[in-house]
Amino acid sequence: MADTKWWLVCYDVRDPKRLRKCARHMEGYGERVQYSVFRCWMSQTQVERLRWELTQLLASEDEVMLIPLPQASVDGIVGIHGSDRPPEWTAEPPRHRIV
């Protein structure tokens, strides 16, 4: 898919039950980077579907951000030790199937 790229999905869910549901749902889309941050390899259609699904799971008091990552940003990611870049953050799609 030509329009497929990396996205960061970050959320702040106030209710523990909704938080667990959101985290389980996000595991079907990508890989956890931090507790409430996932990286996902998605097309625009998948992003729109995820947005709709999250509106069904979450309440209006919860916050979600879907941030597209331009290739220059992905190329510039470094780890906690200066120039150590997480090797899995490449322009290539992940090897496992993302919904």
Side-chain angles (χ1 to χ4, degrees), residues 6-10 33 37-40 65-69 89:
W6 288 114
W7 289 76
L8 270 187
V9 181
C10 314
V33 178
V37 180
F38 281 77
R39 75 173 183 124
C40 306
M65 290 190 304
L66 290 97
I67 305 165
L69 295 175
W89 280 78

Side-chain angles (χ1 to χ4, degrees), residues 28-60:
Y29 275 90
E31 297 176 63
R32 186 184 299 269
V33 178
Q34 293 182 352
Y35 288 120
S36 297
V37 180
F38 281 77
R39 75 173 183 124
C40 306
W41 180 259
M42 298 187 291
S43 67
Q44 190 61 42
T45 303
Q46 290 169 315
V47 170
E48 294 302 321
R49 185 175 76 189
L50 176 60
R51 287 180 62 204
W52 182 84
E53 291 167 350
L54 291 176
T55 62
Q56 302 302 303
L57 288 173
L58 303 177
S60 59

Side-chain angles (χ1 to χ4, degrees), residues 2 9 11 16 20-21 23 25 28 33 37-39 45 48 61-62 71-72 99:
V9 181
Y11 53 87
R20 285 189 299 276
K21 283 184 180 181
H25 190 76
V33 178
V37 180
F38 281 77
R39 75 173 183 124
T45 303
E48 294 302 321
E61 66 190 33
D62 301 326
Q71 189 55 47
V99 184

Side-chain angles (χ1 to χ4, degrees), residues 78-94:
V78 295
I80 59 171
H81 299 292
S83 63
D84 294 340
R85 176 192 158 121
E88 66 275 6
W89 280 78
T90 66
E92 299 300 315

